[in-house]
Amino acid sequence: MSVDSQTWEGVPLSQLFPEEKLGWTGYIEWEDKPDRKKIAQAILKTKKFTPSPEFQLEPLPKTNPILIGYRWKEYHEALGLRSIVDFSWETVQKEKPGMIHVLDFPYNGETPRAALLEGKLTDNMYHFVRNHGGVPDIDEDAFELEIGGLVNQPIKLSMKDLKDPNKFPQITATVTLQCSGTRRIEQIQEYPGEGDELIQAPWGEGAIGTAVYRGVPLKTVLKRACGGLLPEAKHVELIGADTYFKKGNVYNYAVSVPTRKMRMKEEVILAWEMNGEPLPKIHGFPLRAVVTGIIGARSTKWLYKINALEEPSLGPVQAQEYIYFTSQIGKQNAKYSNGFSIQNMPVSSAIIFPQDKEVIIHDGSIELRGWAYSGGGNWPERVEVSPDGGHVWYAVDQDNMTEKHYHAWRLWKISVPVDAEGWIEVCVRTWDSSCNTEPTFVRSAWNWDLHVTSSAHRIKLYSVNTTRPATAQRLAAFAAHGQSFTPITGPTKWTVESTEDFLAEMRRHPRDPDN
Amino acid sequence: MSVDSQTWEGVPLSQLFPEEKLGWTGYIEWEDKPDRKKIAQAILKTKKFTPSPEFQLEPLPKTNPILIGYRWKEYHEALGLRSIVDFSWETVQKEKPGMIHVLDFPYNGETPRAALLEGKLTDNMYHFVRNHGGVPDIDEDAFELEIGGLVNQPIKLSMKDLKDPNKFPQITATVTLQCSGTRRIEQIQEYPGEGDELIQAPWGEGAIGTAVYRGVPLKTVLKRACGGLLPEAKHVELIGADTYFKKGNVYNYAVSVPTRKMRMKEEVILAWEMNGEPLPKIHGFPLRAVVTGIIGARSTKWLYKINALEEPSLGPVQAQEYIYFTSQIGKQNAKYSNGFSIQNMPVSSAIIFPQDKEVIIHDGSIELRGWAYSGGGNWPERVEVSPDGGHVWYAVDQDNMTEKHYHAWRLWKISVPVDAEGWIEVCVRTWDSSCNTEPTFVRSAWNWDLHVTSSAHRIKLYSVNTTRPATAQRLAAFAAHGQSFTPITGPTKWTVESTEDFLAEMRRHPRDPDN
């Protein structure tokens, strides 16, 4: 069915929800159009939508994409916006073909593990993506950024204005962005939590990435272009051109950060360049916010409007989501006001190699590699690894960590002594520049919305220590019999001890006492 | 393909592996026929068999039967014994239709949870079954039990002899039998272990059951019919009529118990009656051993031969399996001699209701029910339940436990106070009459062969406490909106807090400090 054939009370949807700005494909203005919102609400009320897939009480599918966003596709279709869905997936295929596609729409892509540790900077093609809506397709020349609200002088700026170094001195900054859902899968596996209509992606350790962004500080733009903020302005709302749905209503993506967050010029950047390249469309072309040290959700993509406000944004992403609840809050009593709003990210870290449940054949030590990060302007000072589930900890040598940045992760590697065989639990924790560290167990920080998995990252490894003669002998026997040692659950096909040897041993140490 | 058309070097298999005793269908003698064993070994070597299913590194299928024993069916087929496979499944359908069929062949059936706690005695139709081979179909009148080895007088006894109270005084005993793999799934979920060619069933809490058995004490039979044991006899081998396979060889099922195990007359019973009924075929008709307080594997079914020995049986089930390893032993170094042989069962217990991951809506206390058992002639003295993962423990009132037996479980129930909401971990531990109790965590007793899951049984419950006003109000709202509270991962469809209420709260307790 073509968009034009879809109507509401006789009017084509394309007329009700027009792309009003030339060169701004896939952008519908909702926030300035309360009547339009009401019509959309009325249309959504008449439809039935596919429930979100159950992936917490059931194992995750082993497909790629892992999850399919039927419901959000249908929301868009109901309003005649199918083309946004299609363009988004085309963009994924062009810009992000090699990702772990955690959710196909709105697109959530996780960095494959090798790319994650390739270097301090994540390749644009592999940097994680957590979108809340479809990808708009905006012509840079047609683009303008509107700044209003509690400023002395509301203004509209073109990309040409923003990129003019005579108007606004540019900066570059090395910034790690992290979804507050990074490592959510660990919480899900322990205890399922909220199943939002916008799927809370079951992320592993790859919903984090680092890039050098070029742009202009919002602080400077507000001062030079708008004559500064009015005294009552305490928050800056950042609005994106993507369309967002929540409980039958439609919105443009909107969040906010406190004005205090702009105390240093690199803290809120209006960015158009990522690792020396123009921003990929999927990362917010032509303009995005990069808010350092804070939950990724504040770094609005396709940023086309900024409002200075007295109070935080009432956009649902800001006011109703990314709330950090105590463990006594859940479906039975959660409100938007009884958790605190996630802003700065706490210290956290992850082991990337080896991976959970790997069999490690080694000679008394195991090499581990991973990342460590802390938000709010803190940086990882010390990374510690425990090969015994959190009892004894070994610090990573500073020579084995990448350099410090105020707003970026550090990659690390360490070789830890392991004598034990069989299943061991290896975990990592990081101490940041404010002496914060991570709780030891997932349960310690479990929360209903499954955010901020900040507990020590813990993996299970099956350790096979070849310095033990019996083990070396057994591995040689596997080779001699032409049988693979893995998977460990595969039966050993030959008789591992002759009856003579068995009886000799049993006669030396009988099963039963003699008297 | 009919059996007669299968040949080996021109000879029909039915001639090589005959059912030599009239009225003993599905029984082939292997132990007395070394040449026959060699031919079977040669035949098995020429064939390829389907690998056992991987169910430890993958989630269990949600089917019933859960697992299919292709490999063991093919072993039987290779020797022309397909009819044993078919008769076994027919017997399951007749005698055990309502079970959780954990493995279809050799048959492993687990008791459904309601039947498990129906009463102190488990209904024959629901008593768990762990078979190591197919079900033989033996005519009671044709049956005879052969007793030999280190006895003063080898003898053959008919069922008529055994049941003659003038020859042997009969006893009845209330006996719990338990597979040493009971609750194995908990070990698997933490850390996978050995994948034997005979599938180590991924049992839950239902591989245990209790019945009143009638029979004669082996002690009495040995004394009266055989003139007693020779002085050097230290073990009694119990051989069953089922066919067993191990690493390309074929056997009759054989295990042994120390002669010391017969110190009391109820400790090794030759039984023909189960809960007042003749033994079901699947439980060993016409005669089985019931060895009290000890791993179920020693209670040989279709028991047709007893040998008094100086050393334990070399049958693979006795000598090579049911070995209890330390955690440093695994695929890399396991031998038959470097673990100890599982005989007496340790103290253990399980919560049967509620079940793992249930949502419990309650008014400040939660009722729990389950079983507690200890082997070796011990009995459960005290059952304790912890609603907080093992920190605070509440004892079950003796009035809420079934009566004591020397060799049987006790069923229990308790109502424990629970104030907390959200995910709680409830666990149970039992103290037995020798003051033994259970380790707190699965890891504490994990072992490569995944036997004897004796750690405190632990379940996760999502607690919803209606004595909390906010919770009562939210449940009422779910009812008013006609939405089910479960599954908890289902999105709450309405807006749980109005913008006015939210703003009022935010203004009382703003997100950010004022200065």
Side-chain angles (χ1 to χ4, degrees):
Chain A
M1 180 163 58
S2 84
V3 173
D4 287 338
S5 72
Q6 284 181 267
T7 60
W8 175 255
E9 295 179 351
V11 187
L13 295 184
S14 57
Q15 214 164 303
L16 289 170
F17 311 128
E19 292 175 341
E20 61 211 87
K21 289 195 185 186
L22 206 66
W24 293 50
T25 307
Y27 154 63
I28 318 293
E29 177 58 37
W30 301 107
E31 297 310 311
D32 281 351
K33 311 276 183 180
D35 289 351
R36 198 178 272 180
K37 280 192 168 199
K38 270 186 201 146
I39 296 169
Q41 190 182 14
I43 293 173
L44 292 170
K45 206 170 260 173
T46 63
K47 311 263 178 179
K48 289 254 179 238
F49 301 102
T50 305
S52 299
E54 176 59 73
F55 59 90
Q56 298 195 69
L57 299 167
E58 302 290 333
L60 280 184
K62 295 201 163 183
T63 48
N64 196 25
I66 299 172
L67 299 173
I68 305 294
Y70 294 110
R71 190 174 181 89
W72 274 60
K73 291 179 190 175
E74 291 162 8
Y75 286 164
H76 281 75
E77 281 164 7
L79 303 187
L81 305 177
R82 174 75 209 189
S83 58
I84 293 180
V85 176
D86 295 335
F87 180 74
S88 295
W89 188 242
E90 282 160 28
T91 306
V92 171
Q93 289 174 299
K94 194 182 290 175
E95 296 185 341
K96 298 277 176 178
M99 300 288 279
I100 302 164
H101 304 308
V102 178
L103 175 65
D104 71 335
F105 187 80
Y107 184 66
N108 284 215
E110 181 165 342
T111 310
R113 296 301 175 269
L116 197 62
L117 293 198
E118 187 67 31
K120 182 181 76 177
L121 300 182
T122 316
D123 190 303
N124 288 358
M125 204 194 262
Y126 291 115
H127 194 289
F128 91 98
V129 177
R130 194 281 192 259
N131 286 341
H132 295 72
V135 176
D137 185 18
I138 302 174
D139 178 359
E140 174 166 352
D141 294 333
F143 179 80
E144 54 184 8
L145 170 67
E146 193 182 335
I147 306 180
L150 303 171
V151 293
N152 279 305
Q153 179 62 51
I155 200 170
K156 287 184 180 178
L157 296 166
S158 67
M159 284 306 297
K160 212 174 145 194
D161 294 329
L162 284 167
K163 285 179 168 178
D164 181 347
N166 295 319
K167 290 185 176 152
F168 307 109
Q170 299 179 7
I171 59 165
T172 59
T174 303
V175 178
T176 293
L177 290 180
Q178 186 186 19
C179 178
S180 73
T182 309
R183 299 175 43 208
R184 173 176 285 131
I185 191 69
E186 296 164 50
Q187 293 198 55
I188 290 175
Q189 283 167 348
E190 286 277 320
Y191 312 105
E194 192 183 16
D196 200 354
E197 61 183 318
L198 177 59
I199 289 169
Q200 309 239 58
W203 298 116
E205 310 89 47
I208 185 169
T210 302
V212 174
Y213 293 95
R214 171 178 293 277
V216 291
L218 176 56
K219 183 177 181 168
T220 312
V221 173
L222 287 171
K223 196 187 265 181
R224 294 204 179 182
C226 305
L229 296 166
L230 294 178
E232 60 270 35
K234 293 226 173 121
H235 296 268
V236 184
E237 187 175 45
L238 307 165
I239 305 183
D242 40 339
T243 288
Y244 187 68
F245 294 84
K246 181 89 179 176
K247 295 187 194 275
N249 288 305
V250 63
Y251 304 87
N252 294 110
Y253 185 86
V255 293
S256 63
V257 294
T259 54
R260 189 181 165 91
K261 180 63 194 162
M262 298 183 290
R263 65 195 184 279
M264 303 294 288
K265 63 183 166 37
E266 82 280 3
E267 292 181 318
V268 184
I269 307 166
L270 308 181
W272 57 78
E273 203 183 277
M274 184 176 179
N275 290 330
E277 304 282 334
L279 270 183
K281 284 190 197 298
I282 208 158
H283 283 292
F285 181 87
L287 189 71
R288 73 174 297 171
V290 172
V291 188
T292 59
I294 212 170
I295 177 175
R298 309 299 176 232
S299 291
T300 303
K301 295 163 190 151
W302 315 290
L303 173 71
Y304 76 103
K305 197 188 286 188
I306 297 176
N307 285 319
L309 303 172
E310 197 173 344
E311 293 184 297
S313 170
L314 283 175
V317 174
Q318 184 71 35
Q320 301 180 1
E321 300 174 21
Y322 297 112
I323 306 289
Y324 205 45
F325 293 115
T326 173
S327 63
Q328 291 304 294
I329 298 291
K331 193 169 185 174
Q332 71 283 1
N333 55 7
K335 293 194 292 186
Y336 311 126
S337 65
N338 60 6
F340 67 88
S341 182
I342 301 168
Q343 297 277 50
N344 285 348
M345 297 305 294
V347 61
S348 65
S349 40
I351 299 163
I352 301 303
F353 296 111
Q355 295 202 261
D356 191 39
K357 292 206 175 161
E358 268 189 48
V359 175
I360 309 292
I361 298 173
H362 62 89
D363 59 359
S365 65
I366 296 180
E367 189 181 272
L368 301 136
R369 297 196 293 136
W371 56 255
Y373 171 68
S374 189
N378 290 305
W379 58 92
E381 270 291 353
R382 188 168 64 220
V383 175
E384 293 179 333
V385 169
S386 168
D388 61 359
H391 206 79
V392 168
W393 297 89
Y394 294 93
V396 172
D397 193 299
Q398 288 290 322
D399 287 341
N400 288 328
M401 293 174 71
T402 56
E403 65 186 314
K404 293 176 185 177
H405 289 279
Y406 285 103
H407 302 298
W409 67 9
R410 300 180 76 180
L411 305 183
W412 55 266
K413 67 176 177 190
I414 189 174
S415 181
V416 287
V418 174
D419 174 71
E421 293 198 291
W423 287 108
I424 59 171
E425 291 202 5
V426 181
C427 46
V428 62
R429 69 178 179 192
T430 295
W431 299 83
D432 76 8
S433 51
S434 295
C435 300
N436 292 301
T437 196
E438 307 175 52
T440 308
F441 301 105
V442 168
R443 182 170 178 103
S444 321
W446 184 91
N447 63 99
W448 171 242
D449 272 3
L450 309 166
H451 289 302
V452 191
T453 311
S454 61
S455 52
H457 183 223
R458 182 177 293 265
I459 61 171
K460 297 170 181 178
L461 297 177
Y462 192 89
S463 161
V464 180
N465 185 347
T466 58
T467 69
R468 293 190 181 186
T471 296
Q473 208 176 324
R474 180 63 54 87
L475 291 178
F478 269 94
H481 283 88
Q483 200 193 329
S484 166
F485 186 76
T486 55
I488 56 159
T489 53
T492 301
K493 287 180 182 150
W494 72 97
T495 297
V496 296
E497 188 173 27
S498 71
T499 302
E500 296 69 41
D501 289 350
F502 173 74
L503 280 175
E505 185 59 25
M506 286 298 96
R507 283 163 190 171
R508 263 197 300 279
H509 303 292
R511 293 276 187 220
D512 298 274
D514 202 39
N515 61 67
Chain B
M1 179 163 60
S2 84
V3 174
D4 286 339
S5 71
Q6 285 181 267
T7 61
W8 175 255
E9 294 179 350
V11 187
L13 295 184
S14 56
Q15 214 165 301
L16 288 171
F17 311 129
E19 292 176 342
E20 62 214 85
K21 290 197 182 185
L22 206 66
W24 294 49
T25 307
Y27 153 65
I28 317 294
E29 177 59 36
W30 301 107
E31 297 310 311
D32 282 351
K33 310 276 181 177
D35 290 349
R36 199 179 271 182
K37 279 193 169 200
K38 271 187 201 146
I39 296 170
Q41 188 181 17
I43 294 174
L44 292 170
K45 208 171 258 174
T46 65
K47 310 263 178 180
K48 289 253 177 237
F49 301 101
T50 306
S52 298
E54 175 59 73
F55 59 89
Q56 299 196 68
L57 299 168
E58 302 290 335
L60 279 184
K62 294 200 163 183
T63 48
N64 195 23
I66 298 171
L67 298 173
I68 305 294
Y70 295 109
R71 190 174 182 89
W72 273 59
K73 290 180 191 175
E74 291 161 8
Y75 286 163
H76 281 75
E77 281 163 8
L79 303 187
L81 304 177
R82 172 75 209 188
S83 59
I84 293 180
V85 176
D86 295 334
F87 180 74
S88 294
W89 188 241
E90 283 160 28
T91 307
V92 170
Q93 288 174 301
K94 194 181 291 176
E95 296 185 341
K96 297 277 176 179
M99 300 288 277
I100 302 165
H101 305 308
V102 178
L103 174 65
D104 71 336
F105 187 80
Y107 185 66
N108 284 216
E110 181 165 342
T111 310
R113 297 302 177 266
L116 197 62
L117 294 198
E118 188 67 31
K120 183 181 75 176
L121 300 182
T122 316
D123 190 304
N124 288 358
M125 204 195 262
Y126 291 115
H127 194 288
F128 92 98
V129 177
R130 193 285 192 257
N131 286 342
H132 295 72
V135 176
D137 184 18
I138 302 174
D139 177 359
E140 174 165 351
D141 293 334
F143 180 82
E144 55 185 6
L145 171 68
E146 193 181 335
I147 305 179
L150 304 170
V151 293
N152 279 307
Q153 179 61 52
I155 200 170
K156 287 184 182 180
L157 295 166
S158 67
M159 284 307 298
K160 213 173 145 195
D161 294 329
L162 284 167
K163 286 179 168 177
D164 182 347
N166 295 320
K167 291 186 175 152
F168 307 108
Q170 300 180 4
I171 59 165
T172 59
T174 303
V175 179
T176 293
L177 290 181
Q178 186 186 18
C179 177
S180 74
T182 310
R183 299 174 44 209
R184 174 177 285 135
I185 191 70
E186 296 164 52
Q187 293 199 56
I188 291 176
Q189 283 168 346
E190 286 276 322
Y191 312 104
E194 191 182 16
D196 200 353
E197 64 183 314
L198 177 59
I199 289 170
Q200 309 238 57
W203 298 116
E205 310 88 49
I208 185 168
T210 303
V212 174
Y213 295 93
R214 170 179 295 276
V216 290
L218 176 55
K219 184 177 181 166
T220 312
V221 173
L222 287 171
K223 195 187 268 180
R224 295 205 179 181
C226 305
L229 296 167
L230 295 178
E232 61 270 35
K234 293 223 172 124
H235 296 268
V236 184
E237 187 176 45
L238 307 166
I239 305 185
D242 41 340
T243 289
Y244 187 66
F245 294 86
K246 181 89 178 175
K247 296 186 194 276
N249 288 305
V250 64
Y251 305 86
N252 294 111
Y253 186 87
V255 293
S256 63
V257 294
T259 52
R260 188 180 164 92
K261 180 62 194 162
M262 299 183 290
R263 67 196 182 279
M264 303 294 288
K265 64 182 165 39
E266 82 281 5
E267 291 181 318
V268 184
I269 306 167
L270 308 180
W272 57 79
E273 202 182 277
M274 183 175 178
N275 290 329
E277 304 282 333
L279 270 184
K281 285 189 196 298
I282 206 157
H283 283 290
F285 181 88
L287 189 70
R288 72 172 300 171
V290 172
V291 189
T292 58
I294 212 171
I295 178 175
R298 309 299 175 233
S299 291
T300 303
K301 296 163 189 151
W302 315 289
L303 174 70
Y304 75 103
K305 195 188 290 188
I306 297 176
N307 285 319
L309 303 173
E310 196 171 345
E311 293 184 296
S313 170
L314 283 175
V317 174
Q318 186 71 35
Q320 301 180 1
E321 299 173 22
Y322 298 111
I323 306 289
Y324 205 45
F325 293 114
T326 172
S327 62
Q328 291 305 293
I329 299 291
K331 193 169 185 175
Q332 71 282 0
N333 55 7
K335 294 194 291 187
Y336 311 127
S337 65
N338 60 6
F340 66 88
S341 181
I342 301 168
Q343 297 277 50
N344 284 350
M345 296 306 291
V347 60
S348 66
S349 41
I351 299 164
I352 301 303
F353 296 110
Q355 295 202 260
D356 191 40
K357 293 208 173 156
E358 267 190 50
V359 175
I360 309 292
I361 297 174
H362 61 90
D363 59 359
S365 66
I366 296 181
E367 189 180 275
L368 300 136
R369 297 196 292 137
W371 56 255
Y373 171 68
S374 189
N378 290 304
W379 58 92
E381 269 293 352
R382 188 167 66 219
V383 175
E384 293 178 332
V385 168
S386 167
D388 61 359
H391 205 80
V392 169
W393 297 89
Y394 295 92
V396 171
D397 194 297
Q398 288 289 323
D399 287 341
N400 288 327
M401 292 174 72
T402 55
E403 66 187 312
K404 294 176 186 177
H405 289 279
Y406 286 104
H407 302 298
W409 66 8
R410 299 180 75 181
L411 305 183
W412 54 266
K413 67 176 175 188
I414 189 174
S415 181
V416 287
V418 174
D419 174 73
E421 294 197 291
W423 287 109
I424 59 172
E425 292 202 5
V426 180
C427 45
V428 64
R429 68 177 180 193
T430 294
W431 299 83
D432 75 7
S433 52
S434 295
C435 301
N436 292 302
T437 195
E438 307 176 51
T440 309
F441 302 105
V442 168
R443 182 169 178 102
S444 321
W446 184 90
N447 62 99
W448 171 243
D449 273 2
L450 308 166
H451 288 302
V452 192
T453 311
S454 60
S455 52
H457 183 223
R458 182 177 294 266
I459 61 170
K460 296 171 180 176
L461 297 177
Y462 191 89
S463 160
V464 180
N465 184 346
T466 58
T467 68
R468 293 189 180 187
T471 296
Q473 209 177 322
R474 178 63 55 85
L475 291 178
F478 269 94
H481 283 88
Q483 199 193 329
S484 165
F485 186 76
T486 54
I488 55 157
T489 53
T492 301
K493 286 181 183 149
W494 72 96
T495 298
V496 294
E497 189 175 27
S498 71
T499 303
E500 295 68 43
D501 288 352
F502 173 73
L503 281 175
E505 185 59 23
M506 286 297 97
R507 285 164 189 168
R508 264 197 299 279
H509 303 292
R511 293 276 187 218
D512 299 274
D514 202 39
N515 61 67

